[in-house]
Amino acid sequence: MNDVAIIGAGLHPFGRFGDKSAFAMGAEAIDLALADAGVAWEDIQFACGGSWEVAQTDPLTGLLGLTGIPFINVFNACATAASAIQQAANAIRTGQCDLAVAVGLDKHPRGAFVEDPMLVNMPSWYAENGQYVTTKFFGMKINRYMHDHNITSRTLARVAAKNFRNGALNPNAFRRKPISEDEILASPVLNYPLTQFMFCAPDEGAAAVVLCRADVAHRYTDKPVFVRASTIRTRRYGAYEVNTTWAAIEEDAAPTVYASRAAYEQAGIGPEDVDVVQLQDTDAGAEVIHLAENGFCADGEQEKLLAEGATEIAGRLPVNTDGGLIANGEPIGASGLRQVHELVRQLRGQAGERQVPGNPRVGYAQVYGAPGTAAVTILSR
Amino acid sequence: MSELLLPRRGTLVAWTTQGFVPKLPYAGSDKADRFTPFGVGLVQLGDVIRVESRLTESDPTKLRFGMEMELSIVPFYVDDADDEIMTFAFAPVSGSTDSP
């Protein structure tokens, strides 16, 4: 099995871009990644793309070049981009190709995500009754977590304020204005205890990486970033997850816990070795919970970590240095690749104003979404 | 497969409020400016199952983890044929304590 390196990363800014198509954004992200890697589209031998809003991503070849390569589409909700990376990396691992592209793109209408519940095997009454709302699950999960582990709303506000501050340092972010903790707490409650400014919003954007067989990566770059782990897990019996009418009495851990453990095992490292972290912050509570689910702290310790500023860019455990979903929004197909784009910048020392000090060596990215699917990617210099 | 009669009462395991109008195909008559937030919770029925449900109570100060809840049938909307459609929602049992 070949090892895999990322030799190029590109990102189309996240936000709102009028009539510009998701494909145009995706092609720009790929062009940026190719330029970053110093290769041409004609050199790419395999591609994998993901999106919710477009039927399939491979019409991108009409914009980039009709080279006839195998181009696979994946959709795995919020874990779509992480899945595209895994498929492209696997093509290299198994010797199908030496150079591959993973791309994610999306262009969502405004407001909370919605679709026909039948498309995800949920009964129509669930939506008619007002329960087919992903954000209310996040409200229930963090509400219970705060009760069980003594987390305050102030900590949720600290997470959101941090991510808005980091977003202000990121020219590609959707929200670039710092918002104070008090303003976050005073914004309308959408799903108690979560307020409007604690949530990310669906938006538009694209991101891509160029992957390469690790043993030839030096031909293209003196700063390869190695893919040390890529794992995907779905919910187990006993986990209470998004989009479910019921749960078992006996509780099991969330899929992130299993994806995380498997990723550490694959990479042969532990959470103490990680220098910069990207977590799924669909809402501020999700970042709090995911800190523990990914092994970065014990349940309840987040209250102290946030108060101390440990998760700030200059803290000992920098989390969502580019502003995360809260400042970037979530074009579902692209979100996990935005995380990896940021980690590549950080590990190469190219993150500008938001560079984590001390030459970070190991980066960690986690995504989580409906109906209980999580993915973890670990990268290192 | 066989049918199992679930207890009508249970305890509140997790809860939140729904503070904005759910998108279509939401059927409630409380759309747009007539919307009032409703509670949503996960209720554990004995040692059988946990079910997700609307709650009749949406005031966070009146909802507590572990409180006793009882199934109720409440008005939901009036359909095109002018028939009143009911739905299910769990209501706090008056005098409920925090016992798990």
Side-chain angles (χ1 to χ4, degrees), chain A residues 178-198:
Chain A
I179 301 179
S180 74
E181 290 168 21
D182 288 341
E183 212 178 327
I184 290 161
L185 287 167
S187 64
V189 176
L190 298 189
N191 299 99
Y192 183 89
L194 297 170
T195 67
Q196 185 183 341
F197 291 155
M198 293 177 188

PDB file of all heavy atoms in Angstrom, chain A residues 178-198:
ATOM      1  N   PRO A 178     -16.101  40.336  14.171  1.00  0.00           N
ATOM      2  CA  PRO A 178     -16.176  39.773  15.532  1.00  0.00           C
ATOM      3  C   PRO A 178     -17.526  40.092  16.162  1.00  0.00           C
ATOM      4  O   PRO A 178     -18.089  41.164  15.927  1.00  0.00           O
ATOM      5  CB  PRO A 178     -15.050  40.495  16.275  1.00  0.00           C
ATOM      6  CG  PRO A 178     -14.151  41.046  15.220  1.00  0.00           C
ATOM      7  CD  PRO A 178     -15.025  41.327  14.035  1.00  0.00           C
ATOM      8  N   ILE A 179     -18.070  39.172  16.937  1.00  0.00           N
ATOM      9  CA  ILE A 179     -19.328  39.397  17.658  1.00  0.00           C
ATOM     10  C   ILE A 179     -19.051  39.067  19.128  1.00  0.00           C
ATOM     11  O   ILE A 179     -18.453  38.030  19.431  1.00  0.00           O
ATOM     12  CB  ILE A 179     -20.460  38.506  17.103  1.00  0.00           C
ATOM     13  CG1 ILE A 179     -20.684  38.802  15.605  1.00  0.00           C
ATOM     14  CG2 ILE A 179     -21.755  38.717  17.873  1.00  0.00           C
ATOM     15  CD1 ILE A 179     -21.772  37.963  14.947  1.00  0.00           C
ATOM     16  N   SER A 180     -19.475  39.944  20.017  1.00  0.00           N
ATOM     17  CA  SER A 180     -19.137  39.770  21.435  1.00  0.00           C
ATOM     18  C   SER A 180     -19.945  38.624  22.056  1.00  0.00           C
ATOM     19  O   SER A 180     -21.025  38.260  21.573  1.00  0.00           O
ATOM     20  CB  SER A 180     -19.398  41.064  22.208  1.00  0.00           C
ATOM     21  OG  SER A 180     -20.793  41.242  22.363  1.00  0.00           O
ATOM     22  N   GLU A 181     -19.420  38.082  23.140  1.00  0.00           N
ATOM     23  CA  GLU A 181     -20.113  36.992  23.839  1.00  0.00           C
ATOM     24  C   GLU A 181     -21.515  37.428  24.280  1.00  0.00           C
ATOM     25  O   GLU A 181     -22.473  36.659  24.162  1.00  0.00           O
ATOM     26  CB  GLU A 181     -19.289  36.555  25.062  1.00  0.00           C
ATOM     27  CG  GLU A 181     -18.010  35.828  24.681  1.00  0.00           C
ATOM     28  CD  GLU A 181     -17.068  35.656  25.868  1.00  0.00           C
ATOM     29  OE1 GLU A 181     -17.528  35.726  27.019  1.00  0.00           O
ATOM     30  OE2 GLU A 181     -15.857  35.477  25.629  1.00  0.00           O
ATOM     31  N   ASP A 182     -21.610  38.666  24.780  1.00  0.00           N
ATOM     32  CA  ASP A 182     -22.918  39.133  25.264  1.00  0.00           C
ATOM     33  C   ASP A 182     -23.928  39.249  24.122  1.00  0.00           C
ATOM     34  O   ASP A 182     -25.109  38.927  24.283  1.00  0.00           O
ATOM     35  CB  ASP A 182     -22.772  40.477  25.993  1.00  0.00           C
ATOM     36  CG  ASP A 182     -22.087  40.298  27.346  1.00  0.00           C
ATOM     37  OD1 ASP A 182     -22.062  39.151  27.853  1.00  0.00           O
ATOM     38  OD2 ASP A 182     -21.560  41.290  27.883  1.00  0.00           O
ATOM     39  N   GLU A 183     -23.430  39.709  22.974  1.00  0.00           N
ATOM     40  CA  GLU A 183     -24.305  39.830  21.811  1.00  0.00           C
ATOM     41  C   GLU A 183     -24.764  38.441  21.341  1.00  0.00           C
ATOM     42  O   GLU A 183     -25.914  38.251  20.921  1.00  0.00           O
ATOM     43  CB  GLU A 183     -23.519  40.528  20.698  1.00  0.00           C
ATOM     44  CG  GLU A 183     -24.339  41.402  19.782  1.00  0.00           C
ATOM     45  CD  GLU A 183     -23.463  42.096  18.742  1.00  0.00           C
ATOM     46  OE1 GLU A 183     -22.284  42.424  19.053  1.00  0.00           O
ATOM     47  OE2 GLU A 183     -23.944  42.289  17.630  1.00  0.00           O
ATOM     48  N   ILE A 184     -23.857  37.482  21.411  1.00  0.00           N
ATOM     49  CA  ILE A 184     -24.183  36.098  21.023  1.00  0.00           C
ATOM     50  C   ILE A 184     -25.257  35.544  21.957  1.00  0.00           C
ATOM     51  O   ILE A 184     -26.250  34.953  21.524  1.00  0.00           O
ATOM     52  CB  ILE A 184     -22.912  35.226  21.041  1.00  0.00           C
ATOM     53  CG1 ILE A 184     -21.991  35.632  19.888  1.00  0.00           C
ATOM     54  CG2 ILE A 184     -23.256  33.740  20.980  1.00  0.00           C
ATOM     55  CD1 ILE A 184     -20.552  35.187  20.034  1.00  0.00           C
ATOM     56  N   LEU A 185     -25.082  35.778  23.269  1.00  0.00           N
ATOM     57  CA  LEU A 185     -26.047  35.270  24.258  1.00  0.00           C
ATOM     58  C   LEU A 185     -27.403  35.963  24.123  1.00  0.00           C
ATOM     59  O   LEU A 185     -28.439  35.358  24.407  1.00  0.00           O
ATOM     60  CB  LEU A 185     -25.495  35.475  25.675  1.00  0.00           C
ATOM     61  CG  LEU A 185     -24.356  34.536  26.068  1.00  0.00           C
ATOM     62  CD1 LEU A 185     -23.677  35.011  27.348  1.00  0.00           C
ATOM     63  CD2 LEU A 185     -24.848  33.106  26.229  1.00  0.00           C
ATOM     64  N   ALA A 186     -27.391  37.230  23.672  1.00  0.00           N
ATOM     65  CA  ALA A 186     -28.643  38.001  23.597  1.00  0.00           C
ATOM     66  C   ALA A 186     -29.381  37.792  22.280  1.00  0.00           C
ATOM     67  O   ALA A 186     -30.519  38.245  22.132  1.00  0.00           O
ATOM     68  CB  ALA A 186     -28.329  39.483  23.790  1.00  0.00           C
ATOM     69  N   SER A 187     -28.756  37.112  21.317  1.00  0.00           N
ATOM     70  CA  SER A 187     -29.451  36.894  20.041  1.00  0.00           C
ATOM     71  C   SER A 187     -30.592  35.888  20.253  1.00  0.00           C
ATOM     72  O   SER A 187     -30.589  35.137  21.226  1.00  0.00           O
ATOM     73  CB  SER A 187     -28.460  36.431  18.963  1.00  0.00           C
ATOM     74  OG  SER A 187     -27.896  35.177  19.278  1.00  0.00           O
ATOM     75  N   PRO A 188     -31.588  35.877  19.345  1.00  0.00           N
ATOM     76  CA  PRO A 188     -32.783  35.039  19.573  1.00  0.00           C
ATOM     77  C   PRO A 188     -32.439  33.560  19.779  1.00  0.00           C
ATOM     78  O   PRO A 188     -31.548  33.026  19.119  1.00  0.00           O
ATOM     79  CB  PRO A 188     -33.585  35.215  18.276  1.00  0.00           C
ATOM     80  CG  PRO A 188     -33.099  36.494  17.678  1.00  0.00           C
ATOM     81  CD  PRO A 188     -31.671  36.651  18.090  1.00  0.00           C
ATOM     82  N   VAL A 189     -33.155  32.932  20.712  1.00  0.00           N
ATOM     83  CA  VAL A 189     -32.969  31.498  20.953  1.00  0.00           C
ATOM     84  C   VAL A 189     -33.642  30.729  19.818  1.00  0.00           C
ATOM     85  O   VAL A 189     -34.845  30.855  19.611  1.00  0.00           O
ATOM     86  CB  VAL A 189     -33.585  31.083  22.308  1.00  0.00           C
ATOM     87  CG1 VAL A 189     -33.474  29.572  22.491  1.00  0.00           C
ATOM     88  CG2 VAL A 189     -32.894  31.815  23.452  1.00  0.00           C
ATOM     89  N   LEU A 190     -32.864  29.948  19.079  1.00  0.00           N
ATOM     90  CA  LEU A 190     -33.452  29.133  18.003  1.00  0.00           C
ATOM     91  C   LEU A 190     -33.869  27.774  18.546  1.00  0.00           C
ATOM     92  O   LEU A 190     -34.976  27.305  18.305  1.00  0.00           O
ATOM     93  CB  LEU A 190     -32.464  28.982  16.845  1.00  0.00           C
ATOM     94  CG  LEU A 190     -32.049  30.277  16.132  1.00  0.00           C
ATOM     95  CD1 LEU A 190     -31.239  29.956  14.882  1.00  0.00           C
ATOM     96  CD2 LEU A 190     -33.253  31.133  15.763  1.00  0.00           C
ATOM     97  N   ASN A 191     -32.952  27.110  19.227  1.00  0.00           N
ATOM     98  CA  ASN A 191     -33.251  25.841  19.884  1.00  0.00           C
ATOM     99  C   ASN A 191     -32.525  25.862  21.216  1.00  0.00           C
ATOM    100  O   ASN A 191     -31.308  25.701  21.254  1.00  0.00           O
ATOM    101  CB  ASN A 191     -32.776  24.646  19.034  1.00  0.00           C
ATOM    102  CG  ASN A 191     -33.446  24.572  17.683  1.00  0.00           C
ATOM    103  OD1 ASN A 191     -32.885  24.996  16.678  1.00  0.00           O
ATOM    104  ND2 ASN A 191     -34.652  24.053  17.641  1.00  0.00           N
ATOM    105  N   TYR A 192     -33.266  26.085  22.296  1.00  0.00           N
ATOM    106  CA  TYR A 192     -32.675  26.268  23.615  1.00  0.00           C
ATOM    107  C   TYR A 192     -31.644  25.187  23.919  1.00  0.00           C
ATOM    108  O   TYR A 192     -31.945  24.018  23.691  1.00  0.00           O
ATOM    109  CB  TYR A 192     -33.786  26.251  24.679  1.00  0.00           C
ATOM    110  CG  TYR A 192     -33.283  26.495  26.067  1.00  0.00           C
ATOM    111  CD1 TYR A 192     -33.189  27.783  26.576  1.00  0.00           C
ATOM    112  CD2 TYR A 192     -32.870  25.433  26.871  1.00  0.00           C
ATOM    113  CE1 TYR A 192     -32.702  28.013  27.853  1.00  0.00           C
ATOM    114  CE2 TYR A 192     -32.379  25.660  28.144  1.00  0.00           C
ATOM    115  CZ  TYR A 192     -32.300  26.940  28.631  1.00  0.00           C
ATOM    116  OH  TYR A 192     -31.821  27.170  29.879  1.00  0.00           O
ATOM    117  N   PRO A 193     -30.449  25.501  24.389  1.00  0.00           N
ATOM    118  CA  PRO A 193     -29.950  26.828  24.792  1.00  0.00           C
ATOM    119  C   PRO A 193     -29.201  27.547  23.671  1.00  0.00           C
ATOM    120  O   PRO A 193     -28.481  28.503  23.928  1.00  0.00           O
ATOM    121  CB  PRO A 193     -28.973  26.459  25.909  1.00  0.00           C
ATOM    122  CG  PRO A 193     -28.379  25.156  25.441  1.00  0.00           C
ATOM    123  CD  PRO A 193     -29.475  24.441  24.693  1.00  0.00           C
ATOM    124  N   LEU A 194     -29.367  27.089  22.441  1.00  0.00           N
ATOM    125  CA  LEU A 194     -28.581  27.634  21.332  1.00  0.00           C
ATOM    126  C   LEU A 194     -29.262  28.868  20.734  1.00  0.00           C
ATOM    127  O   LEU A 194     -30.440  28.818  20.374  1.00  0.00           O
ATOM    128  CB  LEU A 194     -28.383  26.564  20.254  1.00  0.00           C
ATOM    129  CG  LEU A 194     -27.593  25.324  20.706  1.00  0.00           C
ATOM    130  CD1 LEU A 194     -27.667  24.223  19.652  1.00  0.00           C
ATOM    131  CD2 LEU A 194     -26.134  25.687  20.994  1.00  0.00           C
ATOM    132  N   THR A 195     -28.484  29.942  20.617  1.00  0.00           N
ATOM    133  CA  THR A 195     -29.012  31.180  20.035  1.00  0.00           C
ATOM    134  C   THR A 195     -28.570  31.298  18.579  1.00  0.00           C
ATOM    135  O   THR A 195     -27.707  30.543  18.101  1.00  0.00           O
ATOM    136  CB  THR A 195     -28.506  32.405  20.815  1.00  0.00           C
ATOM    137  OG1 THR A 195     -27.087  32.520  20.621  1.00  0.00           O
ATOM    138  CG2 THR A 195     -28.810  32.301  22.298  1.00  0.00           C
ATOM    139  N   GLN A 196     -29.143  32.261  17.896  1.00  0.00           N
ATOM    140  CA  GLN A 196     -28.894  32.447  16.464  1.00  0.00           C
ATOM    141  C   GLN A 196     -27.401  32.523  16.131  1.00  0.00           C
ATOM    142  O   GLN A 196     -26.926  31.876  15.201  1.00  0.00           O
ATOM    143  CB  GLN A 196     -29.596  33.730  16.016  1.00  0.00           C
ATOM    144  CG  GLN A 196     -29.510  33.962  14.520  1.00  0.00           C
ATOM    145  CD  GLN A 196     -30.142  35.286  14.108  1.00  0.00           C
ATOM    146  OE1 GLN A 196     -30.942  35.866  14.842  1.00  0.00           O
ATOM    147  NE2 GLN A 196     -29.772  35.765  12.942  1.00  0.00           N
ATOM    148  N   PHE A 197     -26.654  33.328  16.907  1.00  0.00           N
ATOM    149  CA  PHE A 197     -25.233  33.522  16.588  1.00  0.00           C
ATOM    150  C   PHE A 197     -24.353  32.354  17.023  1.00  0.00           C
ATOM    151  O   PHE A 197     -23.149  32.382  16.846  1.00  0.00           O
ATOM    152  CB  PHE A 197     -24.720  34.834  17.188  1.00  0.00           C
ATOM    153  CG  PHE A 197     -25.297  36.063  16.546  1.00  0.00           C
ATOM    154  CD1 PHE A 197     -25.370  37.266  17.243  1.00  0.00           C
ATOM    155  CD2 PHE A 197     -25.767  36.037  15.243  1.00  0.00           C
ATOM    156  CE1 PHE A 197     -25.911  38.409  16.664  1.00  0.00           C
ATOM    157  CE2 PHE A 197     -26.316  37.162  14.645  1.00  0.00           C
ATOM    158  CZ  PHE A 197     -26.388  38.350  15.356  1.00  0.00           C
ATOM    159  N   MET A 198     -24.962  31.327  17.625  1.00  0.00           N
ATOM    160  CA  MET A 198     -24.197  30.110  17.958  1.00  0.00           C
ATOM    161  C   MET A 198     -24.264  29.088  16.825  1.00  0.00           C
ATOM    162  O   MET A 198     -23.635  28.042  16.906  1.00  0.00           O
ATOM    163  CB  MET A 198     -24.734  29.483  19.245  1.00  0.00           C
ATOM    164  CG  MET A 198     -24.495  30.321  20.486  1.00  0.00           C
ATOM    165  SD  MET A 198     -25.239  29.534  21.923  1.00  0.00           S
ATOM    166  CE  MET A 198     -25.017  30.825  23.163  1.00  0.00           C
TER     167      MET A 198
END
